[in-house]
Amino acid sequence: MPLSRRHFLAGAGLAGGTLLANVSVPALARAPLVDAATLGALRRNVGSVQVTALLDGYIDIGSELVIGLAEADAERLAEASFQKPGPHRAPVNAYLINLGDRLVLVDAGTSDSMGPSLGRLPAAIEAAGVSPDQIDTLLITHMHPDHINGVLTPAGQALFPNAELIVTAADYAFWHDDANMNQAPDGARPFFIGARQAAAAYANRVRQVAGEGEAVGAIRTVPLPGHTPGHAGFIVESDGEALFIWGDVVHMATYQFARPDWSIAFDVDSKLAAETRKRTLDRVAADRMLIAGMHLPFPGIGHVARDGDAYRFVPEEWPYAL
């Protein structure tokens, strides 16, 4: 029930607004700083479907990785967002969708492939009360390492023994093309190797999807090309409600809502990625659509509003179950 002023004052020991006298208040005990990781797992409903936001960890993205960035504009946007200039911390999110008859994980984090600030997804899944063997579908927005490497254990085995791995046909083809790998810069070649290893571990359980249509149950695929050729989002619908999980449409919330023309160095086609971002932002703002993003501030769920000729992210105000 709603918290009234009377309930608040009573709970605070302020009956009638008067401080209760002669109440002994113990001193707060000192405690050492905690080194243990904070586990990220927050549940909300989309109609009758349960969606749990999961946190794999974070990466720090330097401004030198933003294509088209103008320093003066970046400083202004950072200040407006109460941020300091320099690298911006981006979470790596994933989403667990309980359809009732299927348990679907959208993206899988990094495993141990990208450093100590990442690889927490298995612990977050456990915190959500789920074990990897219960997950029967893996939906991958694209085959970059922070989205697909987590389908593997650190030893390179399939982490989800009963899951079907669903990837887009365009992404599968791109990352399995030897000509693409041989032409890629040295720093990008591990992306190809990781994508291939992940797919190989699920060899007889890989399904490729193309275009816009049903991925599994109430979840449909939406192509969002540019970041990678087969980059896609997924829309889950239930009882008249919908959530659009848009993958990597935005990497840096501080900058790219205001400047959707700014792309990221990880884009395979930065021009097409910017066009896709502008089109997607326009769509979700016009339709007042609930969205979720893999690099939006955790739990990464909210709305997009127009802000003059640009956009802004409006996080949800705590619809989550405890």
Side-chain angles (χ1 to χ4, degrees):
M1 87 184 177
L3 182 66
S4 68
R5 180 176 182 274
R6 180 181 296 276
H7 290 126
F8 176 79
L9 294 175
L14 299 174
T18 303
L19 181 65
L20 295 178
N22 301 320
V23 175
S24 176
V25 179
L28 294 176
R30 294 182 180 180
L33 298 178
V34 176
D35 290 330
T38 300
L39 299 179
L42 290 172
R43 297 188 306 276
R44 76 174 320 279
N45 286 342
V46 176
S48 58
V49 169
Q50 187 179 79
V51 177
T52 305
L54 303 169
L55 182 64
D56 187 66
Y58 65 85
I59 53 177
D60 289 324
I61 302 177
S63 58
E64 72 278 3
L65 295 176
V66 182
I67 299 172
L69 178 142
E71 287 293 344
D73 284 349
E75 290 178 9
R76 175 181 57 81
L77 292 171
E79 183 177 6
S81 297
F82 297 88
Q83 300 285 332
K84 295 179 181 179
H88 287 256
R89 185 155 290 177
V92 174
N93 304 325
Y95 297 91
L96 184 67
I97 304 173
N98 190 335
L99 296 175
D101 60 340
R102 301 289 291 270
L103 196 56
V104 180
L105 180 64
V106 182
D107 283 355
T110 62
S111 188
D112 65 341
S113 66
M114 294 182 66
S117 67
L118 292 156
R120 315 289 173 81
L121 190 68
I125 290 173
E126 182 180 355
V130 173
S131 61
D133 62 299
Q134 292 177 287
I135 294 172
D136 46 36
T137 307
L138 300 167
L139 284 181
I140 304 299
T141 61
H142 61 296
M143 299 177 80
H144 271 163
D146 53 325
H147 300 263
I148 196 169
N149 282 11
V151 304
L152 301 177
T153 67
Q157 305 300 312
L159 176 62
F160 303 95
N162 300 314
E164 176 185 41
L165 179 67
I166 301 178
V167 299
T168 66
D171 236 46
Y172 187 95
F174 177 82
W175 297 110
H176 284 80
D177 188 308
D178 287 341
N180 289 336
M181 183 169 71
N182 292 335
Q183 294 169 8
D186 289 343
R189 291 188 182 183
F191 289 23
F192 288 85
I193 295 170
R196 296 178 183 200
Q197 289 175 336
Y202 291 80
N204 60 346
R205 292 183 277 142
V206 175
R207 176 161 62 94
Q208 299 179 45
V209 295
E212 182 163 356
E214 180 182 321
V216 55
I219 305 172
R220 73 176 190 272
T221 306
V222 179
L224 299 169
H227 181 53
T228 68
H231 178 239
F234 300 102
I235 296 178
V236 55
E237 294 182 290
S238 174
D239 300 332
E241 298 182 17
L243 173 67
F244 182 12
I245 302 174
W246 72 13
D248 280 13
V249 166
V250 169
H251 285 83
M252 302 180 75
T254 299
Y255 295 150
Q256 289 179 298
F257 285 101
R259 293 297 305 265
D261 55 316
W262 291 1
S263 289
I264 201 80
F266 314 124
D267 291 335
V268 173
D269 185 334
S270 60
K271 182 180 179 182
L272 180 57
E275 292 171 357
T276 294
R277 182 164 40 258
K278 292 175 188 176
R279 183 174 64 252
T280 303
L281 291 172
D282 186 66
R283 172 188 178 182
V284 299
D287 293 347
R288 301 179 66 84
M289 200 170 200
L290 186 66
I291 59 94
M294 275 51 188
H295 299 299
L296 298 181
F298 183 78
I301 298 176
H303 291 87
V304 176
R306 283 194 171 277
D307 189 7
D309 293 331
Y311 305 86
R312 58 186 173 87
F313 178 54
V314 183
E316 275 199 302
E317 287 195 11
W318 204 261
Y320 306 100
L322 296 177

